[in-house]
């Protein structure tokens, strides 16, 4: 059952040429929405059912796996497989590529529950995903796609009932859930040009570990904007899309314990950085990495590649990108 409001289906159909076979895309979107609703149900009842704690395993990133991470992963794989439309998936929760439907036409890159530090509290987390299309003519051209080749990217902020979807060359749209668990009333998101509402979002406890030039930029600019940080990328980026400003997770290069440095950044390129960068571009914004290179231009070399991330209003991102590109 397609859980989009009719108006949005019509909108997608009008863009059929761009999306090439809207019908298949809608089936995939329905699978994503069903998965998100199902995950949200488990999350809402998680405290009572004992699902908000640790699972006892360590994931491919060397991090503790939460019980909810496992539940969200199983649910998502179930719906993606049932859709029949996905050939391969890459998930934060799986070391290997997940082989789904040999005839599927899409690659899906996802993190089914991002923002783990919020899980024990039942506070907002994200379900982030990017979608690329398999090459249907000629030989298969691989599943490691740069963000510029995604056809769509989206995020659910769980359990707030909001869904944001970026469509290639067709804007970023925000939906809200109604009583029947249908995502309705698409609103086109455009980053506000007016700086009055702009916010800065980063983990302030890390600031002394950033490169000196980034620390200097923060010192010069922080008093101009409100500071907000939830600690879950989807939630923090949700605010930036509405209010403008910039979310950043810079490289960690000056940690007092050098073993804790993360010169390559913390966030994952394919299912975090490129996902928000894609939605941001479609809303009129920009995103770069620690070298000032556009996130959407970075060709991933491995599934779980990490990146530093600066994403948000063009003026701010371009300003810091200039500084990041300067050789010192
Ligand atoms: P988390 O590690 O809690 O899963 O990449 C994951 C992520 O959360 C993002 O959602 C979030 O923006 C960031 O990392 C938070 O990291 P810090 O706890 O280091 O601030």
């Amino acid at each position: 059952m397609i859980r989009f409001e009719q108006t949005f289906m019509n909108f997608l159909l009008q863009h059929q040429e761009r999306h090439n076979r809207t019908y298949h895309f809608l089936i995939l979107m329905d699978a994503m929405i069903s998965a998100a609703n199902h995950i949200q149900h488990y999350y809402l009842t998680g405290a009572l059912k004992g699902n908000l704690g640790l699972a006892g395993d360590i994931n491919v990133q060397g991090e503790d796996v939460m019980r909810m991470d496992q539940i969200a992963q199983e649910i998502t794989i179930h719906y993606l497989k049932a859709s029949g439309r996905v050939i391969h998936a890459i998930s934060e929760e799986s070391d290997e590529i997940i082989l789904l439907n040999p005839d599927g036409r899409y690659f899906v890159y996802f993190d089914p529950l991002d923002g783990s530090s919020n899980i024990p509290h039942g506070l907002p987390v994200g379900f982030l995903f990017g979608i690329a299309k398999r090459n249907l003519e000629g030989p298969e051209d691989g599943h490691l796609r740069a963000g510029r080749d995604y056809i769509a990217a989206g995020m659910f902020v769980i359990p707030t009932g909001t869904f944001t979807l970026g469509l290639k060359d067709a804007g970023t749209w925000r939906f809200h859930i109604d009583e029947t668990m249908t995502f309705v009333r698409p609103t086109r998101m455009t980053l506000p040009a007016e700086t009055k509402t702009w916010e800065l979002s980063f983990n302030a406890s890390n600031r002394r570990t950033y490169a000196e030039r980034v620390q200097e930029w923060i010192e010069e600019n922080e008093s101009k904007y409100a500071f907000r940080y939830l600690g879950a990328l989807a939630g923090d980026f949700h605010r930036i899309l509405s209010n403008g400003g910039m979310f950043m997770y810079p490289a960690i290069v000056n940690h007092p314990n050098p073993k804790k440095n993360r010169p390559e950044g913390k966030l994952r390129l394919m299912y975090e950085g490129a996902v928000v960068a894609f939605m941001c571009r479609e809303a009129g914004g920009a995103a770069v990495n620690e070298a000032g290179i556009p996130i959407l231009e970075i060709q991933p070399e491995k599934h779980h590649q990490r990146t530093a991330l600066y994403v948000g209003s063009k003026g701010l991102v371009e300003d810091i990108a200039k500084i990041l590109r300067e050789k010192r």
Side-chain angles (χ1 to χ4, degrees):
M1 190 214 320
I2 306 294
R3 292 197 180 83
F4 279 124
E5 208 180 25
Q6 195 63 29
T7 49
F8 187 68
M9 282 172 65
N10 290 339
F11 166 82
L12 276 185
L13 290 166
Q14 282 162 17
H15 291 73
Q16 185 150 13
E17 272 177 25
R18 280 191 196 137
H19 293 291
N20 194 2
R21 310 255 179 200
T22 305
Y23 170 73
H24 297 287
F25 184 72
L26 276 171
I27 302 267
L28 176 56
M29 279 302 100
D30 189 49
M32 299 308 293
I33 288 170
S34 300
N37 283 347
H38 209 142
I39 294 167
Q40 175 150 294
H41 167 76
Y42 271 88
Y43 199 63
L44 284 168
T45 57
L48 290 178
K49 300 259 172 70
N51 282 331
L52 299 185
L54 291 172
D57 297 340
I58 304 285
N59 72 8
V60 291
Q61 330 279 346
E63 299 156 347
D64 285 324
V65 177
M66 310 287 294
R67 178 80 191 108
M68 268 310 302
D69 287 327
Q70 289 179 331
I71 293 172
Q73 168 81 352
E74 280 165 27
I75 290 172
T76 310
I77 296 298
H78 165 83
Y79 281 105
L80 291 184
K81 192 159 178 53
S83 79
R85 301 303 191 277
V86 182
I87 174 168
H88 297 153
I90 289 175
S91 162
E92 199 216 356
E93 298 304 323
S94 167
D95 197 2
E96 306 296 329
I97 300 170
I98 305 160
L99 310 178
L100 292 168
N101 308 107
D103 299 329
R105 55 176 56 222
Y106 298 111
F107 300 119
V108 176
Y109 317 119
F110 69 95
D111 185 346
L113 220 66
D114 186 57
S116 338
S117 69
N118 284 331
I119 297 178
H121 311 285
L123 287 170
V125 289
F127 173 12
L128 296 149
F129 65 88
I131 299 171
K133 197 143 52 104
R134 169 190 192 175
N135 183 7
L136 292 166
E137 288 128 34
E140 179 42 56
D141 54 357
H143 49 263
L144 290 178
R145 298 290 182 81
R148 64 164 180 267
D149 296 329
Y150 291 7
I151 58 160
M155 63 181 194
F156 299 87
V157 184
I158 292 172
T160 66
T162 58
F163 173 38
T164 309
L165 178 66
L167 295 165
K168 189 167 189 170
D169 301 329
T172 289
W173 300 78
R174 182 163 291 161
F175 301 78
H176 294 274
I177 209 163
D178 73 4
E179 302 77 4
T180 67
M181 305 300 275
T182 305
F183 283 96
V184 298
R185 226 185 286 162
T187 308
R188 190 166 185 162
M189 304 300 294
T190 308
L191 282 155
E194 174 58 62
T195 60
K196 206 166 59 187
T197 55
W198 286 14
E199 297 174 352
L200 283 183
S201 182
F202 58 94
N203 184 335
S205 63
N206 288 342
R207 63 188 287 168
R208 300 286 164 225
T209 69
Y210 301 156
E212 283 77 8
R213 61 179 101 181
V214 176
Q215 294 188 41
E216 284 159 22
W217 187 91
I218 292 174
E219 267 145 42
E220 278 163 30
N221 290 280
E222 64 186 336
S223 61
K224 300 179 201 161
Y225 310 106
F227 175 81
R228 299 283 181 269
Y229 192 69
L230 173 68
L233 175 62
D236 284 315
F237 179 66
H238 181 103
R239 290 187 65 103
I240 296 293
L241 258 187
S242 311
N243 292 355
M246 181 166 69
F247 170 90
M248 51 185 177
Y249 207 107
I252 302 227
V253 291
N254 280 312
H255 200 284
N257 175 357
K259 283 195 190 135
K260 293 199 169 167
N261 277 338
R262 291 172 176 270
E264 72 294 355
K266 176 188 180 189
L267 303 181
R268 272 51 66 111
L269 175 63
M270 296 192 73
Y271 40 83
E272 293 183 313
V275 168
V276 293
F278 185 99
M279 287 186 275
C280 196
R281 180 195 67 196
E282 292 297 333
V288 298
N289 70 2
E290 194 72 12
I293 297 168
I295 292 284
L296 295 176
E297 294 304 316
I298 303 170
Q299 174 59 49
E301 283 162 15
K302 48 186 185 183
H303 316 148
H304 300 298
Q305 188 162 322
R306 294 185 189 262
T307 184
L309 175 67
Y310 301 80
V311 61
S313 300
K314 256 191 189 157
L316 279 184
V317 175
E318 280 169 5
D319 191 42
I320 202 158
K322 240 185 289 153
I323 289 162
L324 293 167
R325 284 195 290 262
E326 277 168 18
K327 293 241 177 328
R328 287 201 184 176

